[in-house]
């Protein structure tokens, strides 16, 4: 989480409130949010770190093209946060480096 000014703004605030966790911390989302939208609305600015340099990455395209929004969702790595609907009780974690096999 960070104090950076966000380039995204939530337009609808009428959906049912959902509760997710991000790296173990509770965040509120709205029904209809993607995971990326929920995290951005909660002030999360780093979703993953690159596998080579460890550089921080955050959503860029919000439409499934750039893969900068990869996170771990409910124990499954390499999920595109912009393409997954937020679900009550979902556990989301920062993705560190490359996905491990096995
Ligand atoms: S933000 Fe680009 S793929 Fe998700």
């Amino acid at each position: 989480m960070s104090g950076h000014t966000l380039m995204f703004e939530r337009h609808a605030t009428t959906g049912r409130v959902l509760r997710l966790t991000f790296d173990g911390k509770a965040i509120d989302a709205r029904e209809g949010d993607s995971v990326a939208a929920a995290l951005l609305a909660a002030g999360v600015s780093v979703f993953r770190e690159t596998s080579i340099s460890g550089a921080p990455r955050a959503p860029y395209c919000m439409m499934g093209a750039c893969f900068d929004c990869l996170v771990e969702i409910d124990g499954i790595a390499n999920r595109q946060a912009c393409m997954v609907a937020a679900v009550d009780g979902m556990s989301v974690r920062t993705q560190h480096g490359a996905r491990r096999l096995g």
Side-chain angles (χ1 to χ4, degrees):
M1 315 243 179
S2 122
H4 297 294
T5 302
L6 296 173
M7 60 188 260
F8 299 103
E9 178 181 333
R10 182 191 297 277
H11 289 279
T13 58
T14 56
R16 187 171 64 95
V17 175
L18 309 174
R19 175 63 55 94
L20 283 61
T21 61
F22 182 70
D23 289 341
K25 294 181 183 171
I27 64 165
D28 287 340
R30 295 286 177 166
E31 197 166 47
D33 280 353
S34 65
V35 172
L39 296 183
L40 289 168
V44 175
S45 60
V46 176
F47 282 43
R48 73 177 184 100
E49 297 166 348
T50 60
S51 57
I52 303 299
S53 69
R57 290 288 186 263
Y60 180 70
C61 71
M62 296 296 280
M63 62 180 193
C66 74
F67 289 81
D68 276 339
C69 64
L70 295 179
V71 291
E72 180 184 305
I73 298 176
D74 292 335
I76 302 173
N78 288 337
R79 304 293 309 276
Q80 287 176 281
C82 69
M83 303 301 287
V84 177
V87 173
D88 204 34
M90 192 175 251
S91 172
V92 184
R93 304 197 74 82
T94 304
Q95 182 159 312
H96 299 282
R99 177 182 176 191
R100 287 191 202 109
L101 298 176

